[in-house]
Each structure stands twice: as C-alpha cells, then as structure tokens.
Amino acid sequence: MRMDTRQKIVNRAVKEIQNGMNVNLGIGIPTLVANAIPSHYEVLLQSENGLLGIGPYPVTEAVDADLINAGKETVTAVAGASFFDSAESFAMIRGGHIDLAILGGMEVSETGDLANWMIPGKMIKGMGGAMDLVAGAKRVVVVMEHVNKNGEPKIKKQCELPLTGKGVVHRLITELAVFDFTEQGMQLIELAEGVTLAEVQEKTAAAFTVIDGI
Amino acid sequence: MGNVKVWDSFEKAVADIPNGATLAVGGFGLCGIPEKLIAALVQKGTNELTVVSNNCGVDDWGLGLLLANKQIKKMISSYVGENKTFEQQFLNGELEVELTPQGTLAERLRAGGAGIPGFYTPTGVGTPVADGKEIKNFEGKDYILERGIVADFALVKAWKADKLGNLVYRKTSRNFNPLAAMAGQITIVEVEEIVEVGELDPDHIHTPGVFVQRVLLGENYAKRIERLTVARGEA
C-alpha cells in the first residue's frame, strides 16, 4: 500500500522534469524520481556534495569510495559530468542555476512555507543543504504523502514545525492531488485518478482554491 | 626548492595543535576525510576542540573517533544524524552544536579564507537559522548576514600533492576540502601520492600551494563507505 502511494507520487513528480534541465533530487521519494526519467532525456542530476551528472549505482567492481551522492550512497558519473567543491556546488544552487529542486516534506503551509528538517523534542539531525536548495533553486517542488502516519493533514494553514524556508514552495505533489502556490494563494490544479475533491478537502487543513474544470 | 612542505610524521604534524583550537576539517560523510590526521589527533588527545565540518563521522570512524574520546567541545555542521555518540553527548550537554545550512557553511569557510568577514545570503530567511542575525533587503528580497570562519588549523585530505603543496582532489572527495584549506591559518594536508614539483599540470591544480603549510603522505587508506549501493541485480 505504502509503496503504491510512493509510486503514484513518483509517477506524477517525474512530469516536472523537462528535457535539458539541471535537477537536484532530495533524499527519499525524490531520489526514486530519477529512475522514472525518460531514457531519451538529457537531464543532469546535481548532487550537492559536488557532482553534476549523477549516473546509476555502480556494478560491484566499479564501486568507488570517492564517488558518492548527497545521500552518501556510492554512485557513478555520466558522460559530461563535472566535479566541484561545496562552495561552487551551492553557488550553483543559491545562484539560481539549478532549474528544479524536488524535496520531501513534513509540513507545507497554504502560503508555501516548507518544514522538513527538524521535529522539536527529537534529536536534531540538521538541515543539510535543504535550506539552500529552497532558497536558491529556480523552481521548488515538494513531494510528500498527503497525511501523516496517523492520518492527520500535513498541509496546514501554518507549519507547526520549524521552517526550512518561508514562501518557497512552487508546487506540491501528493498521492491525491497537485497544488500550486501563486500570488492568489494555494490552488488545487489536479486530482489524482479516482480521488474526489471532497476527499482532498477533508484531508487538507489549509484553504485553497480550485482551478476551473475540476 | 626552499619551499618544500613535506612532513614525514603525522604525530609531529599535529603536535602544535593546542587544546581549545578551532579546526576546519574536510570531508562529506566519510568521503574525503583526513583519516590519518584524525587518528593522530586521537592519539595525541588534544581536547576542547571546536570542529567546523559538514558532518561528524559515524560512531567508530572519522570525527566520531574524536567525539568518542570526548575531545570535541563544539561542532559547527550542517548534518549530524549518523552518530549516536553525538546524540548522547549533545543531550547530556557535553557538546555544543551550531547547525549551519550546508551552502552557508561552505561559503563561511570560503569567505574566511578569502578575507571576507561576512556575507548576505537568502538561505535561512524566516527560519530558526536567522534568529539573532542582521537582515538586509536587496532589490526587495531579504538576506541574512553570515560570518566568515577562520580556523586555527585545517585538516584536509587530497588525492595528490606536489612538494610545494599544490593539491589535486579526486571525484566527490573534493567537497569541503578546498574550502577548509583556505580557511586554515595552518593547513595540514594528507594525500595518497606526493609528486615532484613540476609534475602536476598547473591547469589541473585545484588548491594552489599558497594555502597549504604541511603535506603528508598517507598509506593504506580505509576509505570506508557509508552506504554501499550497487546496480540492481548486483546486491
């Protein structure tokens, strides 16, 4: 059931990637999006530890401890890839040279705030590169399950968790729906197959408008 | 050459690092960490250290070894989630932590090494990271003031060096190493190969030797892998 939910999110999220883009995929569901990119696309995936052009996982003989992704997994580099230091990596990110960042989320608010790095009272792990990514990428897409394990909404009027960024999310994709954050506020732009508007309204604790045709 | 920086002993190379020093340490996770220099510091027992490094190793490797030995007073990092000793010492109040976004951390080291005491960044605006920091508006957008970091010593891992300390890194093990090298007042580098002056193509040097004070040859690198992942059907 859970994998099914994730796959639905992945299948929708991959449509955000256009041929020729430079894309940063976060850890978790976003990483799975890489496998769904059409093979004829020329997309360079950025890894914030210093690689533009992430390739597939290596065969055993090709495993190289000096070649990892931001999730600390061993990877390969595609033809045309480049390596660079962390300051240059975040110059790319913060400077608006990365077309798209897809990140996971814990909470998203109706004004496009994102919380995805810390839960007070639990051990603080750190924000890694998430705050830089949401502050700098040209387009920020958040992918997450619509409700938490207890069935409670993760899309809220205001985030309760400490923020990763304020008003930074452009688009939110869940297994039920897709929302855009515009100057007019949060807007439902798509319903997943077989999902009703009533179900999305029930599971969303934020105010949103609905585009014509839904 | 009167400028040769090659040292033959890791023990001697870290001997003048005093208790309470601030260290900038290269590496991302366990990739590109100066494992021999860390081992020498563990051996020496230098304590009360402030360590600026993206991560803090794992329980039994990398900077985690200094933690386990209670040699670290404060960490400035972006992500410390892989380490139980860390969690324990933090919750006990034995360890101070300053969490800094990864790009801000990289830039703080670069800036410190480049003679820039502070810079404005959009990263962290409206989040807990902005607490207590100056905010300045440029062209209608808010930015926060972050400070450059200058470290007493930098511990760096490179792939190759020449005897003047010109450095070349390999693949993603470059990460924070060139920035730590810039930020250190005394930068100590361990490498897998030392070549004669003139053997490195000047076009291929990542860190010019001017940033480097000491170079050591390390042997038998463990290069531990944090998450071994292989192609499907291989696992």
Side-chain angles (χ1 to χ4, degrees):
Chain A
M1 187 63 192
R2 185 175 158 76
M3 277 315 292
D4 197 40
T5 301
R6 289 184 151 218
Q7 196 56 49
K8 277 183 193 164
I9 296 172
V10 167
N11 292 348
R12 176 59 189 81
V14 75
K15 293 181 184 166
E16 299 297 313
I17 297 177
Q18 291 161 22
N19 199 359
M21 274 186 165
N22 296 302
V23 180
N24 183 293
L25 300 175
I27 293 162
I29 301 176
T31 303
L32 303 174
V33 175
N35 304 324
I37 298 172
S39 55
H40 66 279
Y41 272 26
E42 286 177 22
V43 168
L44 288 177
L45 298 177
Q46 204 248 17
S47 190
E48 60 267 26
N49 57 315
L51 164 60
L52 182 62
I54 308 172
Y57 293 136
V59 295
T60 305
E61 305 76 58
V63 165
D64 186 339
D66 289 339
L67 182 45
I68 63 169
N69 64 16
K72 288 141 192 167
E73 300 173 325
T74 47
V75 293
T76 55
V78 298
S82 52
F83 298 119
F84 33 84
D85 68 51
S86 301
E88 200 170 1
S89 178
F90 282 92
M92 243 172 243
I93 290 168
R94 214 191 293 103
H97 308 281
I98 296 297
D99 299 303
L100 172 67
I102 303 182
L103 296 94
M106 293 174 182
E107 290 179 345
V108 172
S109 81
E110 64 186 35
T111 53
D113 298 349
L114 171 66
N116 74 350
W117 71 282
M118 118 179 225
I119 302 173
K122 289 203 178 179
M123 177 55 194
I124 304 166
K125 290 177 184 289
M127 68 292 283
M131 286 192 183
D132 304 280
L133 279 159
V134 298
K138 270 189 207 152
R139 187 167 170 76
V140 174
V141 172
V142 171
V143 293
M144 67 181 191
E145 291 172 48
H146 205 96
V147 294
N148 68 18
K149 277 179 254 168
N150 305 320
E152 296 154 354
K154 295 168 72 171
I155 310 166
K156 301 182 169 177
K157 191 153 196 63
Q158 281 187 323
C159 293
E160 281 154 40
L161 298 170
L163 295 185
T164 307
K166 200 169 173 58
V168 291
V169 182
H170 295 102
R171 180 166 286 182
L172 168 64
I173 297 171
T174 77
E175 74 281 17
L176 302 181
V178 181
F179 299 93
D180 273 352
F181 296 85
T182 68
E183 283 179 11
Q184 287 74 46
M186 180 173 163
Q187 196 167 46
L188 177 78
I189 62 157
E190 281 175 44
L191 284 174
E193 211 185 314
V195 175
T196 63
L197 180 58
E199 181 184 359
V200 171
Q201 280 167 334
E202 187 203 320
K203 292 178 174 172
T204 307
F208 59 88
T209 57
V210 181
I211 61 158
D212 294 344
I214 290 181
Chain B
M1 283 276 181
N3 235 341
V4 168
K5 296 165 182 171
V6 179
W7 289 46
D8 58 3
S9 153
F10 280 91
E11 190 188 335
K12 285 181 194 153
V14 301
D16 58 349
I17 300 180
N19 293 342
T22 296
L23 308 180
V25 182
F28 179 91
L30 300 179
C31 181
I33 58 170
E35 54 180 76
K36 312 294 175 196
L37 287 165
I38 292 169
L41 267 186
V42 170
Q43 195 69 35
K44 182 172 177 261
T46 317
N47 57 30
E48 295 287 302
L49 296 168
T50 293
V51 178
V52 186
S53 177
N54 190 54
N55 313 95
C56 197
V58 294
D59 283 322
D60 63 344
W61 192 238
L63 291 172
L65 297 172
L66 287 174
L67 259 190
N69 228 10
K70 303 205 169 173
Q71 292 173 255
I72 301 179
K73 180 184 75 176
K74 180 177 178 181
M75 282 299 303
I76 302 177
S77 301
S78 88
Y79 188 83
V80 292
E82 312 295 343
N83 199 311
K84 287 200 178 60
T85 317
F86 191 100
E87 182 170 355
Q88 218 166 36
Q89 291 186 15
F90 177 70
L91 295 174
N92 291 346
E94 292 173 275
L95 181 66
E96 260 179 84
V97 182
E98 181 181 329
L99 286 173
T100 302
Q102 201 172 320
T104 298
L105 185 63
E107 195 64 17
R108 289 180 71 188
L109 289 167
R110 200 198 70 80
I116 295 173
F119 58 91
Y120 291 97
T121 176
T123 302
V125 170
T127 78
V129 163
D131 290 350
K133 290 174 186 161
E134 183 195 323
I135 292 181
K136 193 169 168 118
N137 191 285
F138 295 90
E139 280 94 39
K141 192 175 161 184
D142 284 341
Y143 296 79
I144 59 179
L145 176 65
E146 293 282 3
R147 299 294 308 272
I149 295 173
V150 176
D152 300 320
F153 291 83
L155 309 184
V156 166
K157 163 71 175 50
W159 180 34
K160 287 184 190 179
D162 68 16
K163 292 181 174 176
L164 294 180
N166 290 307
L167 306 179
V168 178
Y169 306 91
R170 189 171 173 276
K171 301 187 178 181
T172 58
S173 68
R174 193 183 318 180
N175 56 60
F176 278 82
N177 280 299
L179 312 164
M182 290 173 75
Q185 290 186 296
I186 295 177
T187 290
I188 314 174
V189 184
E190 58 176 271
V191 296
E192 295 170 55
E193 188 182 350
I194 298 178
V195 300
E196 291 301 325
V197 173
E199 281 186 45
L200 295 178
D201 182 337
D203 269 336
H204 293 172
I205 289 167
H206 297 131
T207 295
V210 70
F211 293 110
V212 174
Q213 279 68 46
R214 301 171 190 169
V215 176
L216 296 106
L217 181 66
E219 281 166 342
N220 303 317
Y221 273 89
K223 290 198 184 181
R224 247 202 240 180
I225 291 172
E226 223 165 314
R227 297 208 174 91
L228 178 67
T229 42
V230 295
R232 208 174 283 185
E234 289 268 327

